[in-house]
Every structure is written in structure tokens, then in C-alpha cells.
Amino acid sequence: MKKKLKIGLVGFGVVGQGLYDVLQKSPALDAEIVKICVKNKRQRALPESMFCYSGEELVKDENINLVVELISDADAAFHIVAAALRNGKDVVSANKKMIAENLAELIKLQEEYGVSLLYEASACGSIPVIRNLEEYYDNDLLLSVTGILNGSSNYILSKIFEENKGYAESLKEAQELGFAEADPSFDVDGFDSLFKLVILTAHSFGTVVNPEEVLHYGISNISDFDIRFAREKGYKIKLVGQVEKLEENKISLFVLPRLVKKDKYIYNVEDEFNGVVIKGLAYDKQFMFGKGAGGYPTGSAVLSDITAIGHDYKYEYKKKNFYKEFLYVQSGEIEIYLRYRKDEDLAHFNFISISEEYTGPEYNYKIGLISIKELLAIKDHLREMDIFIAVTRKTLNY
Ligand SMILES: NC(=O)c1ccc[n+]([C@@H]2O[C@H](COP(=O)([O-])OP(=O)(O)OC[C@H]3O[C@@H](n4cnc5c(N)ncnc54)[C@H](OP(=O)(O)O)[C@@H]3O)[C@@H](O)[C@H]2O)c1
């Protein structure tokens, strides 16, 4: 049954305006933007009468039955989204930080108030990965979900590896093109990928993981030495998030730069594109690829959620509600490349075994096995050290 949608749009930036334009090109959809809430009063492309400046006012508006939240502030977004759900309104959001940090509460609110919250655009922009994990991969054959989840850092790495550009120049370009968030650390230090991975994990294995408990490290410390090392060995460096099923209903997840060989699907994922490899028992590997950022690609995923709400679609959180619970564990080992300069930095890393090492005038490196738990214990200090870490060959022991 299709219902008429009266939309209260919160946020009219890159994605909000993208959605507005995409919606105009989809006349078949019986949806109308009734009001737009923004933060600051200024000249806009639409009449002033369309705008309001209070999210609370908008979620109470009885003419609105769907709130589409597309703002940059995660705390304000949670406030607005929770209030909308409590007011009996369905919600569509693209805010990965807000969703990942409040997922348990958001699931509860949906159940309590019988409303739907959809957020396809929050992970991998235009790629319909969440709904596929929820609906198609709704059995227990899934083994892992691995992907390039952040368009901006991938854009930067592409410029470095494909066009020999420097890190700072590539970051500036990504920001100018609107791929990178205002605070680049969100993208390049792996936070954005982490939030997306937490969301994908809930729909892959049903486990709601606290992002603060997950190992994540980005590309902001990459140096020419690391790039040369990767090139000489035939690798590209990619920022990769992965959740993997282990034995006895356990899962492991982390976001780390990875040395990727040509034979991997994600090797050829360039620029602002995202790519997700879904691995299962019976079907081996499947690959989803598409634009992960930008107003129109993200707007199209929001539009798809709006259409789904029109058909009364809700996430059932099937893995969480109908399968044996998967426990997130921080144990296991991975093989990493560690580039460092000072012995005092190296002292933080307690390698279990070392397979390759190099000492040079500029930098040194070691490749070896290390425990995930030990890396997790120092995760908040990794960015302060003059080091770079990338996963080489992953080996987990349980
Ligand atoms: N950009 C992308 O490619 C992309 C991709 C996937 C997901 N997302 C997610 O989509 C969301 C929006 O991103 P964006 O790039 O469109 O951001 P943006 O261009 O910075 O726009 C943010 C919008 O939110 C409004 N806003 C901020 N705080 C507000 C508040 N407290 N109350 C009401 N309005 C408020 C701003 O108002 P003013 O206009 O008055 O400043 C602006 O219109 C974020 O959660 C982001 O993570 C973005």
C-alpha cells in the first residue's frame, strides 16, 4: 500500500539540495517537501516561506508524516530524529555518526512507537548495501563484509597512487569537490568508515557494537616512504573496513589501511567510489560498487528510502531478532606493516613474530604478527606517533 508522503526536510546542504533535485526528477513518487529546517537564516535557492529554523517545531508539525534528516551535527540530529520517532513520524537519515553511536536506542524507539527509520545513504552513499544485507543475505551463510567505505580517503589514495600527487594536495582537492567533510579527520582518520562498519555489522550479523570499542586507524600519517614501499611490492594502499564471522558465533571488526594486491576486487575501486565485497559460504564472493559520496548519489539513496517508506518498509533487524547472537570479540592476531622512525614508538608494539624488517636512514619498518587487543589498547595514541600501519596478510587465531 502506497501512502502520500509529506516530508519535513532537516538540512539543505550538499545532500539536502541533492535530494531536492533528485526528487523533482521522480514525478512518479507521491511525495512533497512541506518544510525545510536549516540552521542559519540566509538567501536560499527556494522561497523563505519554505524554511524554518527549529527542528523541534518541524517534528511536531501535523502536516508532516516523514522527517528526512540530512544535517552535519550528529548530536542535534539524534535529538531531532528521536523526537520525530516519538511523535509517530517515520524518519530517513544519512547520518552515519548519529546512527552508529545511538543504534540500540534507535532500534528501541522504532519498536516502541511502531515507526520506521531507514538509513541506506549512511553507508556507502548510493550503493544499496544495507537493504541487501537485510533482505537478500537474510540467512546465516554470510562470512564477511569487507569494503572501501569512505569516498574521500579513497579519492586521496587514488590521486597519490594513480597521479603521483601529494597527500595534502589530494586532500585539498577532495574538500573542494565536496567529498571530504569539513573536519577532514572524520574521513582520513577512519571515523567515517568505522561508523559505516558498525551499521553494516548490525545488518550483517545482528550485533550492535559500540564504535568506541573498535580498532580504527586511517591514512593521515601516510608518508612517501610508505607509498614507495607499497609500489615496489606491487600493492596499492586502501582504507578498508571489515567485519568477519569467526567460529562459535563470534565476529571481529576493524578499520585499517591495507596493502592490496591486483587480484582483489577493491584494488580497482578508485576516486570517490566505494566497493563492498560480501563473502558467503555457498556463493564465495560478490562485489557491490558505486559512488560513495556527493549530493546526487547520496540523494538517490535517500530517495530510495523515501520510496520504501511509501510502501511501509521497515528494517526487521532479522539477524538480531531471528538468529543466534554473534558476540564481538577483540581477540585474534593480524599481520601488519609498521613504519616508524624512533625506537620509543616501536616500543609500543609487541610483535608476536616478525617476518620482514628494514632499517634505513629515514625510516624503518617491520612486518609481523600482532594482537588486535594490544593495538586496541593504544588506538587513541596511534595518530600521535610518527608511524604508519597497514594490514598485510591477515591471520586470525582462535
Ligand atoms: N556529503 C556527502 O557526500 C554525504 C554522503 C553520505 C552521507 N552524508 C551525510 O549526510 C549528512 C549531511 O551532509 P552534507 O554534506 O549535506 O552536510 P552540509 O553540506 O554541511 O549541510 C548541512 C545542512 O545541515 C544544516 N544544519 C546543521 N546543523 C543544523 C541544526 N542543528 N538544525 C538544523 N539544520 C542544521 C545546515 O544548515 P545551514 O544551511 O543553515 O548551514 C545545512 O543546511 C551528514 O550526516 C553526512 O555525514 C553526506
Side-chain angles (χ1 to χ4, degrees), residues 93-97 99-100 118-127 129-130 149 192 195-197 199-200 274 292 298 301-302 305 315:
S93 170
N95 203 320
K96 59 229 90 164
K97 182 171 194 284
I99 293 159
L118 303 183
Y119 40 81
E120 188 62 72
S122 69
C124 304
S126 69
I127 310 176
V129 61
I130 298 177
L149 309 178
D192 177 82
F195 296 134
K196 290 170 177 169
L197 184 64
I199 295 169
L200 295 183
N274 286 183
T298 312
V302 175
D305 277 351
Y315 296 136

mmCIF file of all heavy atoms in Angstrom, residues 93-97 99-100 118-127 129-130 149 192 195-197 199-200 274 292 298 301-302 305 315:
data_model
loop_
_atom_site.group_PDB
_atom_site.id
_atom_site.type_symbol
_atom_site.label_atom_id
_atom_site.label_comp_id
_atom_site.label_asym_id
_atom_site.label_seq_id
_atom_site.Cartn_x
_atom_site.Cartn_y
_atom_site.Cartn_z
ATOM 1 N N SER A 93 17.415 8.969 7.333
ATOM 2 C CA SER A 93 18.612 9.724 7.706
ATOM 3 C C SER A 93 19.819 9.232 6.931
ATOM 4 O O SER A 93 19.868 8.077 6.499
ATOM 5 C CB SER A 93 18.860 9.572 9.218
ATOM 6 O OG SER A 93 20.118 10.083 9.562
ATOM 7 N N ALA A 94 20.825 10.120 6.781
ATOM 8 C CA ALA A 94 22.081 9.729 6.123
ATOM 9 C C ALA A 94 23.242 9.862 7.099
ATOM 10 O O ALA A 94 24.402 9.773 6.709
ATOM 11 C CB ALA A 94 22.328 10.637 4.915
ATOM 12 N N ASN A 95 22.896 10.050 8.395
ATOM 13 C CA ASN A 95 23.901 10.461 9.373
ATOM 14 C C ASN A 95 24.562 9.271 10.078
ATOM 15 O O ASN A 95 24.121 8.824 11.126
ATOM 16 C CB ASN A 95 23.182 11.358 10.397
ATOM 17 C CG ASN A 95 24.131 12.259 11.108
ATOM 18 O OD1 ASN A 95 25.238 11.842 11.464
ATOM 19 N ND2 ASN A 95 23.723 13.485 11.326
ATOM 20 N N LYS A 96 25.662 8.785 9.483
ATOM 21 C CA LYS A 96 26.283 7.547 9.994
ATOM 22 C C LYS A 96 26.756 7.669 11.433
ATOM 23 O O LYS A 96 26.639 6.728 12.218
ATOM 24 C CB LYS A 96 27.446 7.121 9.086
ATOM 25 C CG LYS A 96 28.530 8.176 8.958
ATOM 26 C CD LYS A 96 28.928 8.461 7.566
ATOM 27 C CE LYS A 96 28.191 9.528 6.868
ATOM 28 N NZ LYS A 96 28.817 10.042 5.671
ATOM 29 N N LYS A 97 27.280 8.842 11.808
ATOM 30 C CA LYS A 97 27.790 9.005 13.178
ATOM 31 C C LYS A 97 26.632 8.904 14.169
ATOM 32 O O LYS A 97 26.696 8.160 15.150
ATOM 33 C CB LYS A 97 28.499 10.366 13.309
ATOM 34 C CG LYS A 97 29.112 10.621 14.661
ATOM 35 C CD LYS A 97 29.982 11.882 14.625
ATOM 36 C CE LYS A 97 30.879 12.016 15.832
ATOM 37 N NZ LYS A 97 30.221 12.441 17.045
ATOM 38 N N ILE A 99 23.744 7.505 13.757
ATOM 39 C CA ILE A 99 23.131 6.170 13.790
ATOM 40 C C ILE A 99 24.040 5.176 14.525
ATOM 41 O O ILE A 99 23.601 4.453 15.416
ATOM 42 C CB ILE A 99 22.800 5.696 12.361
ATOM 43 C CG1 ILE A 99 21.700 6.585 11.792
ATOM 44 C CG2 ILE A 99 22.354 4.229 12.354
ATOM 45 C CD1 ILE A 99 21.615 6.581 10.300
ATOM 46 N N ALA A 100 25.331 5.179 14.168
ATOM 47 C CA ALA A 100 26.250 4.207 14.783
ATOM 48 C C ALA A 100 26.361 4.424 16.293
ATOM 49 O O ALA A 100 26.453 3.469 17.057
ATOM 50 C CB ALA A 100 27.619 4.310 14.125
ATOM 51 N N LEU A 118 14.892 4.534 8.257
ATOM 52 C CA LEU A 118 15.730 3.944 7.207
ATOM 53 C C LEU A 118 16.962 4.820 6.999
ATOM 54 O O LEU A 118 16.884 6.054 7.126
ATOM 55 C CB LEU A 118 14.954 3.812 5.899
ATOM 56 C CG LEU A 118 13.655 2.992 5.947
ATOM 57 C CD1 LEU A 118 13.036 2.892 4.550
ATOM 58 C CD2 LEU A 118 13.897 1.596 6.503
ATOM 59 N N TYR A 119 18.101 4.179 6.672
ATOM 60 C CA TYR A 119 19.342 4.966 6.564
ATOM 61 C C TYR A 119 20.307 4.376 5.543
ATOM 62 O O TYR A 119 21.497 4.259 5.785
ATOM 63 C CB TYR A 119 20.000 5.095 7.951
ATOM 64 C CG TYR A 119 19.941 3.838 8.805
ATOM 65 C CD1 TYR A 119 20.850 2.800 8.622
ATOM 66 C CD2 TYR A 119 18.963 3.699 9.788
ATOM 67 C CE1 TYR A 119 20.783 1.657 9.411
ATOM 68 C CE2 TYR A 119 18.882 2.552 10.573
ATOM 69 C CZ TYR A 119 19.802 1.543 10.378
ATOM 70 O OH TYR A 119 19.742 0.414 11.149
ATOM 71 N N GLU A 120 19.773 4.012 4.378
ATOM 72 C CA GLU A 120 20.621 3.423 3.331
ATOM 73 C C GLU A 120 21.779 4.349 2.962
ATOM 74 O O GLU A 120 22.899 3.897 2.726
ATOM 75 C CB GLU A 120 19.766 3.134 2.084
ATOM 76 C CG GLU A 120 20.468 2.364 1.008
ATOM 77 C CD GLU A 120 20.907 0.973 1.475
ATOM 78 O OE1 GLU A 120 20.062 0.118 1.650
ATOM 79 O OE2 GLU A 120 22.128 0.765 1.667
ATOM 80 N N ALA A 121 21.527 5.662 2.906
ATOM 81 C CA ALA A 121 22.560 6.596 2.463
ATOM 82 C C ALA A 121 23.696 6.753 3.481
ATOM 83 O O ALA A 121 24.741 7.326 3.166
ATOM 84 C CB ALA A 121 21.935 7.964 2.189
ATOM 85 N N SER A 122 23.489 6.232 4.695
ATOM 86 C CA SER A 122 24.514 6.432 5.717
ATOM 87 C C SER A 122 25.745 5.562 5.495
ATOM 88 O O SER A 122 26.810 5.859 5.991
ATOM 89 C CB SER A 122 23.925 6.139 7.106
ATOM 90 O OG SER A 122 23.666 4.752 7.229
ATOM 91 N N ALA A 123 25.600 4.471 4.742
ATOM 92 C CA ALA A 123 26.762 3.607 4.486
ATOM 93 C C ALA A 123 26.924 3.386 2.994
ATOM 94 O O ALA A 123 26.033 2.848 2.342
ATOM 95 C CB ALA A 123 26.596 2.267 5.202
ATOM 96 N N CYS A 124 28.044 3.877 2.460
ATOM 97 C CA CYS A 124 28.382 3.676 1.037
ATOM 98 C C CYS A 124 27.477 4.439 0.076
ATOM 99 O O CYS A 124 27.215 3.954 -1.043
ATOM 100 C CB CYS A 124 28.373 2.210 0.663
ATOM 101 S SG CYS A 124 29.455 1.241 1.678
ATOM 102 N N GLY A 125 27.023 5.621 0.474
ATOM 103 C CA GLY A 125 26.298 6.529 -0.430
ATOM 104 C C GLY A 125 25.249 5.839 -1.268
ATOM 105 O O GLY A 125 24.228 5.381 -0.763
ATOM 106 N N SER A 126 25.517 5.727 -2.566
ATOM 107 C CA SER A 126 24.479 5.255 -3.488
ATOM 108 C C SER A 126 24.375 3.729 -3.571
ATOM 109 O O SER A 126 23.498 3.212 -4.253
ATOM 110 C CB SER A 126 24.762 5.805 -4.889
ATOM 111 O OG SER A 126 25.929 5.203 -5.413
ATOM 112 N N ILE A 127 25.269 2.996 -2.909
ATOM 113 C CA ILE A 127 25.221 1.523 -3.021
ATOM 114 C C ILE A 127 24.174 0.963 -2.052
ATOM 115 O O ILE A 127 24.257 1.212 -0.852
ATOM 116 C CB ILE A 127 26.591 0.878 -2.690
ATOM 117 C CG1 ILE A 127 27.718 1.550 -3.472
ATOM 118 C CG2 ILE A 127 26.565 -0.617 -2.964
ATOM 119 C CD1 ILE A 127 29.107 1.023 -3.130
ATOM 120 N N VAL A 129 23.589 -1.296 0.008
ATOM 121 C CA VAL A 129 24.187 -2.425 0.718
ATOM 122 C C VAL A 129 23.379 -2.821 1.952
ATOM 123 O O VAL A 129 23.219 -4.008 2.240
ATOM 124 C CB VAL A 129 25.687 -2.143 1.032
ATOM 125 C CG1 VAL A 129 25.869 -0.928 1.904
ATOM 126 C CG2 VAL A 129 26.349 -3.353 1.655
ATOM 127 N N ILE A 130 22.822 -1.847 2.676
ATOM 128 C CA ILE A 130 22.108 -2.187 3.915
ATOM 129 C C ILE A 130 20.866 -3.019 3.610
ATOM 130 O O ILE A 130 20.638 -4.066 4.202
ATOM 131 C CB ILE A 130 21.720 -0.912 4.704
ATOM 132 C CG1 ILE A 130 22.980 -0.148 5.121
ATOM 133 C CG2 ILE A 130 20.846 -1.257 5.909
ATOM 134 C CD1 ILE A 130 22.722 1.153 5.831
ATOM 135 N N LEU A 149 34.870 2.070 2.344
ATOM 136 C CA LEU A 149 33.616 2.648 2.801
ATOM 137 C C LEU A 149 33.648 4.180 2.803
ATOM 138 O O LEU A 149 32.634 4.809 3.059
ATOM 139 C CB LEU A 149 33.296 2.145 4.224
ATOM 140 C CG LEU A 149 33.355 0.626 4.449
ATOM 141 C CD1 LEU A 149 33.074 0.282 5.908
ATOM 142 C CD2 LEU A 149 32.363 -0.092 3.554
ATOM 143 N N ASP A 192 34.693 7.881 9.815
ATOM 144 C CA ASP A 192 33.558 7.706 8.902
ATOM 145 C C ASP A 192 33.407 6.215 8.532
ATOM 146 O O ASP A 192 32.304 5.661 8.599
ATOM 147 C CB ASP A 192 33.806 8.564 7.647
ATOM 148 C CG ASP A 192 32.730 8.415 6.608
ATOM 149 O OD1 ASP A 192 31.685 9.064 6.737
ATOM 150 O OD2 ASP A 192 32.934 7.629 5.661
ATOM 151 N N PHE A 195 32.037 4.229 11.570
ATOM 152 C CA PHE A 195 30.590 4.337 11.803
ATOM 153 C C PHE A 195 29.819 3.499 10.782
ATOM 154 O O PHE A 195 28.834 2.835 11.111
ATOM 155 C CB PHE A 195 30.144 5.805 11.752
ATOM 156 C CG PHE A 195 30.765 6.650 12.850
ATOM 157 C CD1 PHE A 195 31.312 7.898 12.578
ATOM 158 C CD2 PHE A 195 30.816 6.180 14.155
ATOM 159 C CE1 PHE A 195 31.891 8.657 13.593
ATOM 160 C CE2 PHE A 195 31.385 6.931 15.176
ATOM 161 C CZ PHE A 195 31.926 8.178 14.886
ATOM 162 N N LYS A 196 30.293 3.540 9.529
ATOM 163 C CA LYS A 196 29.608 2.749 8.490
ATOM 164 C C LYS A 196 29.743 1.259 8.780
ATOM 165 O O LYS A 196 28.789 0.496 8.611
ATOM 166 C CB LYS A 196 30.197 3.083 7.122
ATOM 167 C CG LYS A 196 29.823 4.491 6.671
ATOM 168 C CD LYS A 196 30.608 4.897 5.449
ATOM 169 C CE LYS A 196 30.181 6.257 4.955
ATOM 170 N NZ LYS A 196 31.070 6.806 3.929
ATOM 171 N N LEU A 197 30.926 0.860 9.217
ATOM 172 C CA LEU A 197 31.149 -0.561 9.511
ATOM 173 C C LEU A 197 30.251 -1.040 10.654
ATOM 174 O O LEU A 197 29.714 -2.150 10.616
ATOM 175 C CB LEU A 197 32.633 -0.789 9.852
ATOM 176 C CG LEU A 197 33.036 -2.244 10.099
ATOM 177 C CD1 LEU A 197 32.864 -3.085 8.834
ATOM 178 C CD2 LEU A 197 34.481 -2.337 10.588
ATOM 179 N N ILE A 199 27.322 0.111 11.358
ATOM 180 C CA ILE A 199 25.972 -0.020 10.794
ATOM 181 C C ILE A 199 25.872 -1.309 9.965
ATOM 182 O O ILE A 199 24.926 -2.089 10.111
ATOM 183 C CB ILE A 199 25.614 1.222 9.940
ATOM 184 C CG1 ILE A 199 25.536 2.470 10.842
ATOM 185 C CG2 ILE A 199 24.314 1.017 9.179
ATOM 186 C CD1 ILE A 199 25.459 3.796 10.094
ATOM 187 N N LEU A 200 26.868 -1.557 9.119
ATOM 188 C CA LEU A 200 26.848 -2.775 8.289
ATOM 189 C C LEU A 200 26.878 -4.033 9.161
ATOM 190 O O LEU A 200 26.239 -5.040 8.838
ATOM 191 C CB LEU A 200 28.036 -2.785 7.312
ATOM 192 C CG LEU A 200 28.034 -1.680 6.253
ATOM 193 C CD1 LEU A 200 29.226 -1.844 5.310
ATOM 194 C CD2 LEU A 200 26.746 -1.686 5.449
ATOM 195 N N ASN A 274 32.993 3.681 -3.768
ATOM 196 C CA ASN A 274 33.086 2.700 -2.687
ATOM 197 C C ASN A 274 32.920 1.318 -3.301
ATOM 198 O O ASN A 274 32.338 1.177 -4.374
ATOM 199 C CB ASN A 274 31.964 2.900 -1.659
ATOM 200 C CG ASN A 274 32.175 4.109 -0.763
ATOM 201 O OD1 ASN A 274 31.381 4.355 0.142
ATOM 202 N ND2 ASN A 274 33.217 4.893 -0.984
ATOM 203 N N GLY A 292 30.209 6.688 -3.506
ATOM 204 C CA GLY A 292 30.004 6.681 -2.064
ATOM 205 C C GLY A 292 29.760 8.049 -1.471
ATOM 206 O O GLY A 292 29.513 8.174 -0.274
ATOM 207 N N THR A 298 24.200 10.390 -3.103
ATOM 208 C CA THR A 298 23.662 10.185 -1.754
ATOM 209 C C THR A 298 22.167 10.502 -1.749
ATOM 210 O O THR A 298 21.369 9.780 -1.142
ATOM 211 C CB THR A 298 24.413 11.074 -0.733
ATOM 212 O OG1 THR A 298 25.814 10.906 -0.957
ATOM 213 C CG2 THR A 298 24.093 10.684 0.689
ATOM 214 N N ALA A 301 20.075 7.585 -2.802
ATOM 215 C CA ALA A 301 19.845 6.556 -1.768
ATOM 216 C C ALA A 301 18.768 7.034 -0.793
ATOM 217 O O ALA A 301 17.927 6.244 -0.343
ATOM 218 C CB ALA A 301 21.147 6.268 -1.025
ATOM 219 N N VAL A 302 18.771 8.335 -0.488
ATOM 220 C CA VAL A 302 17.733 8.890 0.401
ATOM 221 C C VAL A 302 16.370 8.753 -0.279
ATOM 222 O O VAL A 302 15.380 8.355 0.341
ATOM 223 C CB VAL A 302 18.045 10.373 0.748
ATOM 224 C CG1 VAL A 302 16.910 10.981 1.559
ATOM 225 C CG2 VAL A 302 19.368 10.494 1.493
ATOM 226 N N ASP A 305 15.001 5.314 0.036
ATOM 227 C CA ASP A 305 14.423 5.092 1.369
ATOM 228 C C ASP A 305 13.047 5.752 1.479
ATOM 229 O O ASP A 305 12.133 5.199 2.095
ATOM 230 C CB ASP A 305 15.339 5.682 2.452
ATOM 231 C CG ASP A 305 16.466 4.730 2.833
ATOM 232 O OD1 ASP A 305 16.439 3.564 2.399
ATOM 233 O OD2 ASP A 305 17.380 5.165 3.566
ATOM 234 N N TYR A 315 13.095 -1.864 8.540
ATOM 235 C CA TYR A 315 14.128 -2.875 8.765
ATOM 236 C C TYR A 315 13.590 -3.800 9.852
ATOM 237 O O TYR A 315 13.113 -3.321 10.888
ATOM 238 C CB TYR A 315 15.432 -2.264 9.289
ATOM 239 C CG TYR A 315 16.139 -1.303 8.349
ATOM 240 C CD1 TYR A 315 16.657 -0.094 8.828
ATOM 241 C CD2 TYR A 315 16.327 -1.609 7.006
ATOM 242 C CE1 TYR A 315 17.323 0.783 7.992
ATOM 243 C CE2 TYR A 315 16.990 -0.715 6.156
ATOM 244 C CZ TYR A 315 17.481 0.473 6.657
ATOM 245 O OH TYR A 315 18.141 1.339 5.831
#
